[in-house]
Amino acid sequence: MSIKSNRLTQTEYQENFTDIHPPFETADAALVEANRCLFCYDPPCMKLCPTSINVPKFIKQIATENLKGSAHTIFSSNIMGAGCSKVCPVEKLCEGACVYNMMHETPIHIAKLQRYSTEIAMKNKWQLFERKPATGKRVAIVGAGPSGLSCAHTLSREGIDVTIYEKESKGGGLMTYGIAAYKVTPEFCEDEVNYITSIGGIDIKYNQELGKNISIEELQRNYDAVYLAFGVGLARQLDIAGEHLEGVEDAIKFIYELRNNDYSKIAIGDKVAVIGMGMTAIDAATQAKRLGASDVTLVYRRTQDEMPCTEHELNIAKLDGCKIIWLAAPKEIKGDNGKVSQLVCDVMKLGEPDASGRRSPLVSGETFTLDVDMVIKAAGQMPFESLVNSNSFENNKGKLIINDKATTNQTGIFAGGDCVNGGKEVVDAVQAGKDGAHAILKYVLGAAYVEEPKSTFNN
């Protein structure tokens, strides 16, 4: 067993990391799928979309070959509609609510249709929104992820000049740095960021980190309002012996490196254990297998009924050949010559529900050992608690506390996305950005700002 890079041929890497959800091959295929839609009067698919995309309307527009109208309908509710069509867990959102499920038929491929019209819009650089005249108001946003970009675009449409401060060298946040490469490529993420900012009035300053290169006080002095969207990113540690041996990696760092380098340069073990069962754990496990690991095992302390990932995501890991051990928790990592050689796990049993509502895992007293040469930790992410506390924000263990969907305890400072909710879906972050923008517009424009009413679907 050993950890090494360049395990596969370039052809194998390309095949392993190709688009897991390919688009419609022809316009006719999209039209056929669009015409399957029943165009429900009270659409459940729309109700389960956190950004309230008018699904029947945009599908009807595809069916009538009005692609600009379809893209506009989507982007009006979700400016990252193209990216969300690739990464959203639609099986528990819009497609999971499709009425065809009740008839035991295949639901409408909503995400695929959404991807169809939005990618055409991006490819052709259709500017579907007209920016209002400049108001003279300036807003600073910390973080160029989904929440920050959504907030920025909504503000810019209303004539607000926006400056985004981003600690990384690229925008997109989780989309760019934290999602499996076979779901969305870094190139697509860059195109999406460029498309969003093409409306004008949005300036992104890269390699600018809050608390290091910029301060809250500086932003308050120079801008009319501030929106915090710096997400989460600190990997939760296991706090067990051997955690710092060579071969133990954080899933966040592992995926980050994979997103920023050629696949052949990513070192991977022969026998890999992944700790956790969230979406990040699944992404780490499947990508480890696709990088050439011969054996990948997901270790989770609860059962399938309590897992945070969706069954669809779990099936991706299974199809890739990943193994799963339920009711197991890491107890100790052993090594030889400073390198990982074994993972010792406690066998768990379930007790009463804990604060999360899931049955809490309890140590049974039994253990087992896995021979491994790499351990990837995906036990969750923690908020930037020290950053939040150092700036006197009201918070709950590092998660910013807001009122009225976006207002912090400090005047003129708003927040949303993962830094508030602790980590949800990309689409939730997009909606939080919209909520933040509307709160900011009311704050900086006062009675002059009137939020446009939501459109209703018309057959």
Side-chain angles (χ1 to χ4, degrees), residues 193-236:
V193 171
N194 291 337
Y195 183 74
I196 291 169
T197 58
S198 67
I199 190 174
I202 303 172
D203 178 31
I204 304 180
K205 296 185 180 299
Y206 294 107
N207 303 306
Q208 298 293 307
E209 184 175 350
L210 182 63
K212 183 178 180 181
N213 309 104
I214 52 171
S215 67
I216 290 293
E217 293 77 12
E218 180 184 353
L219 297 179
Q220 286 178 302
R221 284 196 307 269
N222 297 327
Y223 296 89
D224 296 292
V226 178
Y227 181 70
L228 303 177
F230 49 75
V232 291
L234 299 173
R236 193 178 304 280

Side-chain angles (χ1 to χ4, degrees), residues 50-98:
T51 58
S52 301
I53 292 175
N54 196 328
V55 177
K57 182 177 181 179
F58 93 71
I59 294 179
K60 186 76 169 181
Q61 288 168 316
I62 292 175
T64 56
E65 300 185 66
N66 178 11
L67 295 187
K68 275 192 176 181
S70 176
H72 183 270
T73 296
I74 296 164
F75 287 139
S76 294
S77 294
N78 182 347
I79 193 58
M80 297 192 77
C84 284
S85 72
K86 295 168 176 278
V87 304
C88 263
V90 292
E91 61 276 2
K92 70 176 184 180
L93 296 174
C94 56
E95 291 184 18
C98 180

Side-chain angles (χ1 to χ4, degrees), residues 362-399:
L362 304 172
V363 176
S364 69
E366 298 178 47
T367 65
F368 66 90
T369 301
L370 295 175
D371 291 328
V372 296
D373 55 8
M374 188 173 189
V375 175
I376 300 177
K377 301 177 293 182
Q381 293 172 268
M382 299 182 295
F384 296 105
E385 191 167 358
S386 60
L387 174 65
V388 170
N389 286 327
S390 66
N391 286 284
S392 302
F393 286 107
E394 186 178 358
N395 67 91
N396 177 19
K397 297 180 180 178
K399 293 186 291 186

